[in-house]
Amino acid sequence: MSWSDDELDARFRELGPIDPPARVEQAVLTTYRAERQRGARRTRWWAVGGMAAMAALSLLVIAEPPARGDPAAMVERGAGEVRPTVELKVAVRLGAGTTERFAADRRYNAGDTLMFRVRTSAATTLTLTRAGVVVWSGPVPAGESDLPVGYQLEAGEGPAIFALTGGAEVLRLPVPAVSP
Amino acid sequence: MDAVRDGSEPAYITLFERHRAALYGYALRMTRQPEVADDVFQETFLRVHRARATWAAHHGSFKSWLFRICTNTLRDRARLNARRPEVLGDTWEPYVHPGHADRLSLERALAQLPEHLRDAFLLAAMQGMDHNEIAEALDISPDNARARVSRARGRLRELLGEGA
């Protein structure tokens, strides 16, 4: 049996859109507002620019360039930290049913499952990828929580890197090849 | 969009809210790197604001105009980063997660499509665009858009194990 075009499209449509991280949305709106304010100032300038230029010329006044601020005297403002810190812990549920901490120098077996626990300094949106493909993306609360996704290793898998983004830095987890 | 062109912030926010998830999903599935998708997403909406005066000259839908801006942003970025920034792996093994296995197999199949087929298919299947809108968004001819979508569907059927 093969899918019609509409059926195939519908299957992929179920994947749905993906919410951008909150910090990215905030950055868009902040940048937009800053651009808009600069544009408004430019507009006001052009509205009065002609008159001001004529007045300046008539008085033959050459204004001094605006004074530059002293970088040493500038005061830091704002919250500073814009991305939360994120810690990642990885456990492995072995085929036998026991669970232990992930070890980067160990080769695991087919059927073993990686599980991910994160601790964040603030609520945020995290994205977990494996080999560049999104495995999971969603919001997590501040504090410690388990990601609602597990990755079951399969026979013959080569080494790959899991990456967790959304925090102050990208956390990378190299996973060795699965034991043959 | 007319209100956005006139500088209305509420109108801009309404447009942003309406299209944010669709555009981010597109950027993420095209770039396959969240950090890059973040930048493309931000740059696209900034360009929407900067280019709002050109909207009147566009004869298609707002969605095709928006995705055209995103496409141009992706292309500009690709030109700047001619080399792949990081190859995380070229082997694609299946993900297994109860209730998500099917979803992940679809994402994996999408990731295996060449970019010039993936973008056309995403616009057709996920955004519901017709061939003319896809052509506008990707700056290609409608016939080319139709061919790309058709080839993408054929490739996806192969990848998902369905005979055409």
Side-chain angles (χ1 to χ4, degrees):
Chain A
M1 177 187 143
S2 76
W3 295 307
S4 69
D5 288 350
D6 287 344
E7 289 168 338
L8 186 71
D9 289 1
R11 286 198 68 188
F12 280 91
R13 204 173 299 121
E14 287 174 6
L15 292 176
I18 299 174
D19 284 332
R23 61 175 172 74
V24 177
E25 290 189 294
Q26 193 56 48
V28 169
L29 296 177
T30 300
T31 308
Y32 161 75
R33 287 178 178 125
E35 285 253 334
R36 191 164 166 269
Q37 284 180 352
R38 277 198 294 272
R41 280 196 292 269
R42 278 197 298 271
T43 302
R44 284 195 295 272
W45 162 249
W46 284 110
V48 299
M51 290 175 63
M54 290 295 290
L57 282 173
S58 66
L59 294 172
L60 295 176
V61 170
I62 301 175
E64 290 184 7
R68 288 188 174 178
D70 177 7
M74 289 182 178
V75 178
E76 187 175 329
R77 299 182 191 278
E81 185 67 54
V82 293
R83 292 188 180 191
T85 56
V86 179
E87 297 170 25
L88 172 66
K89 294 179 182 175
V90 183
V92 185
R93 185 191 297 139
L94 302 175
T98 57
T99 301
E100 61 182 41
R101 181 172 292 186
F102 172 79
D105 57 351
R106 175 177 169 182
R107 296 188 76 173
Y108 291 95
N109 299 311
D112 294 346
T113 302
L114 302 181
M115 297 180 296
F116 306 89
R117 175 170 293 173
V118 296
R119 175 186 288 276
T120 67
S121 61
T124 186
T125 298
L126 296 178
T127 299
L128 178 71
T129 62
R130 179 191 177 279
V133 174
V134 177
V135 175
W136 177 84
S137 183
V140 293
E144 194 168 79
S145 54
D146 293 329
L147 300 190
V149 64
Y151 180 84
Q152 190 173 63
L153 300 169
E154 292 206 338
E157 282 190 22
I161 294 179
F162 285 78
L164 186 68
T165 62
E169 58 182 327
V170 178
L171 303 179
R172 299 187 191 281
L173 176 77
V175 176
V178 177
S179 294
Chain B
M1 187 58 207
D2 289 340
V4 171
R5 190 186 55 202
D6 294 339
S8 165
E9 180 174 331
Y12 181 86
I13 292 175
T14 299
L15 269 183
F16 176 75
E17 289 293 333
R18 190 175 295 162
H19 297 284
R20 52 187 264 291
L23 193 82
Y24 187 75
Y26 178 75
L28 189 56
R29 288 177 174 123
M30 285 305 299
T31 63
R32 299 161 54 197
Q33 296 179 77
E35 309 97 309
V36 181
D38 290 356
D39 291 345
V40 169
F41 177 79
Q42 291 184 54
E43 180 68 20
T44 298
F45 272 104
L46 190 58
R47 288 186 182 191
V48 165
H49 172 63
R50 288 174 178 166
R52 63 194 187 283
T54 68
W55 159 247
H58 181 76
H59 300 294
S61 66
F62 172 74
K63 191 186 278 187
S64 67
W65 187 69
L66 174 68
F67 280 86
R68 181 167 189 159
I69 291 174
C70 184
T71 298
N72 288 338
T73 306
L74 286 164
R75 288 174 181 166
D76 289 347
R77 193 170 184 97
R79 274 194 290 271
L80 284 172
N81 303 317
R83 68 179 182 85
R84 293 178 70 176
E86 184 176 10
V87 179
L88 293 176
D90 287 327
T91 57
W92 308 96
E93 296 81 15
Y95 300 107
V96 179
H97 177 258
H100 289 78
D102 184 54
R103 177 188 172 90
L104 290 171
S105 70
L106 295 177
E107 292 280 11
R108 188 191 59 176
L110 271 178
Q112 285 184 279
L113 282 182
E115 286 183 10
H116 71 286
L117 300 185
R118 198 186 324 152
D119 54 12
F121 179 77
L122 285 173
L123 295 176
M126 309 289 281
Q127 305 305 322
M129 289 187 185
D130 61 27
H131 297 135
N132 289 322
E133 289 177 306
I134 295 170
E136 288 170 9
L138 300 181
D139 196 20
I140 57 178
S141 71
D143 284 345
N144 195 351
R146 184 181 294 109
R148 287 191 190 187
V149 173
S150 177
R151 286 173 58 199
R153 286 177 177 139
R155 183 81 183 110
L156 287 170
R157 288 190 180 97
E158 291 173 7
L159 291 167
L160 296 173
E162 286 273 347

